[in-house]
Amino acid sequence: MLEIQWTIQDRDIDRVKEVLESQAHEPTFQELMKERERNCAAKKADVSKEDFWREMVRARLTTQNKVGSGSPVDKLGRENPFPLAYEIIRPSRRKEHFIRETIRAYGIGKYQQSARDLAYNWQYLEKKKGWPQLLQACNQLTGLVSAEEERDVAHHIAKVLKGFGPKQSRNLLQLLGLTRYEILIDSRVVKWLNQSIPHGQAKLHAGMLADQEFYEFVLDGIQELCEQAETLPCLFDAAVFSALGE
């Protein structure tokens, strides 16, 4: 059982406002804000199979791999056409082999497990007819919805797709531009919280983020902080990323 309780004070709200103000004119923050415009929009475009598959691949490959500018994952993600696009993989008879060799060719680590997970997800979506329910869930988020509704979709993704726990399910939804409240929490966010919103002797540990209960405990605190600071978690996330770097 988690013993830590969030007790938000005025100074904590000030810290959130300060990081947003300090990063407002930074190039990294401004670049991220171009992406977050979709997340903040009142109406978002529907998600297609092709959109979902591409961002699912990108989200899965970020697990235990560097994702900064110029990294192997970044290089693959910027290719046009995308080497692991839905329409490219579909005609392949040996999908796991094709995925594995493509990932390996870009020098991306953990390629064997990533390929197994992505091949399983392909089977689930295509052969087990997982597409309708998953796309319907995602497209419920194209309007202005609550944090609870976003979380329900994150739970669904984590339940049906391999390689998608609390972090990567949120990463996927954020890459799709669908979420305002449910954000990717990583070591940068945990570091910022420990430095800026201390809980006495207690420390948050990034290594525990794979646990859904812990992840959502931290996320609940962030969402409450942002609500009181009158900002959105997806904007707070961009500011922290910009402030602490890659």
Side-chain angles (χ1 to χ4, degrees):
M1 295 291 292
L2 293 169
E3 299 294 336
I4 303 174
Q5 297 293 322
W6 286 100
T7 302
I8 296 174
Q9 303 177 21
D10 288 344
R11 66 184 182 187
D12 302 329
I13 299 167
D14 290 340
R15 296 292 186 274
V16 174
K17 293 179 178 179
E18 286 167 7
V19 72
L20 284 160
E21 291 170 3
S22 70
Q23 298 305 306
H25 301 292
E26 293 296 325
T28 299
F29 180 75
Q30 292 180 345
E31 186 65 27
L32 286 169
M33 283 303 297
K34 294 177 184 177
E35 301 174 9
R36 298 294 191 268
E37 286 178 0
R38 291 188 303 161
N39 299 81
C40 297
K43 179 61 179 176
K44 309 167 182 73
D46 283 350
V47 177
S48 67
K49 289 182 181 181
E50 292 79 6
D51 295 332
F52 186 91
W53 178 262
R54 178 190 175 98
E55 302 308 344
M56 186 193 70
V57 171
R58 291 180 62 203
R60 178 60 187 84
L61 294 182
T62 63
T63 304
Q64 297 181 321
N65 285 301
K66 293 182 178 180
V67 296
S69 179
S71 67
V73 173
D74 179 62
K75 289 178 180 177
L76 184 145
R78 291 179 183 275
E79 290 280 11
N80 189 16
F82 184 53
L84 292 172
Y86 177 85
E87 58 271 21
I88 292 176
I89 290 179
R90 189 172 189 177
S92 173
R93 293 184 177 180
R94 302 173 63 199
K95 291 180 172 58
E96 183 176 337
H97 173 81
F98 180 82
I99 294 169
R100 182 179 66 248
E101 294 308 305
T102 302
I103 296 171
R104 182 162 66 172
Y106 278 83
I108 298 171
K110 310 293 183 182
Y111 57 87
Q112 291 180 326
Q113 186 59 54
S114 294
R116 282 194 291 268
D117 289 348
L118 291 171
Y120 172 91
N121 293 343
W122 180 279
Q123 287 292 111
Y124 168 75
L125 294 167
E126 292 284 321
K127 305 300 183 182
K128 297 183 180 180
K129 303 186 185 304
W131 277 123
Q133 188 177 13
L134 195 49
L135 290 179
Q136 181 183 25
C138 287
N139 287 325
Q140 288 174 350
L141 305 183
T142 56
L144 293 178
V145 300
S146 67
E148 290 77 13
E149 289 172 285
E150 291 184 0
R151 185 163 296 184
D152 286 344
V153 179
H155 286 173
H156 180 66
I157 289 172
K159 179 180 179 180
V160 301
L161 297 182
K162 276 200 173 182
F164 284 79
K167 292 172 63 177
Q168 294 310 337
S169 60
R170 271 77 175 188
N171 189 21
L172 170 54
L173 289 172
Q174 199 161 31
L175 286 170
L176 287 167
L178 294 175
T179 49
R180 295 149 57 93
Y181 306 105
E182 294 291 295
I183 62 171
L184 169 64
I185 303 173
D186 60 10
S187 59
R188 284 177 292 260
V189 176
V190 169
K191 180 179 179 181
W192 187 90
L193 289 170
N194 283 330
Q195 291 175 342
S196 305
I197 318 290
H199 291 274
Q201 299 300 313
K203 292 288 183 183
L204 301 173
H205 295 283
M208 295 177 62
L209 291 171
D211 178 82
Q212 179 175 293
E213 183 181 2
F214 178 78
Y215 190 100
E216 292 178 358
F217 161 76
V218 178
L219 186 51
D220 287 344
I222 291 171
Q223 290 176 355
E224 179 62 26
L225 275 168
C226 290
E227 182 178 357
Q228 294 194 36
E230 299 182 332
T231 191
L232 289 170
C234 66
L235 305 184
F236 161 79
D237 162 58
V240 170
F241 186 95
S242 176
L244 297 188
E246 299 174 2

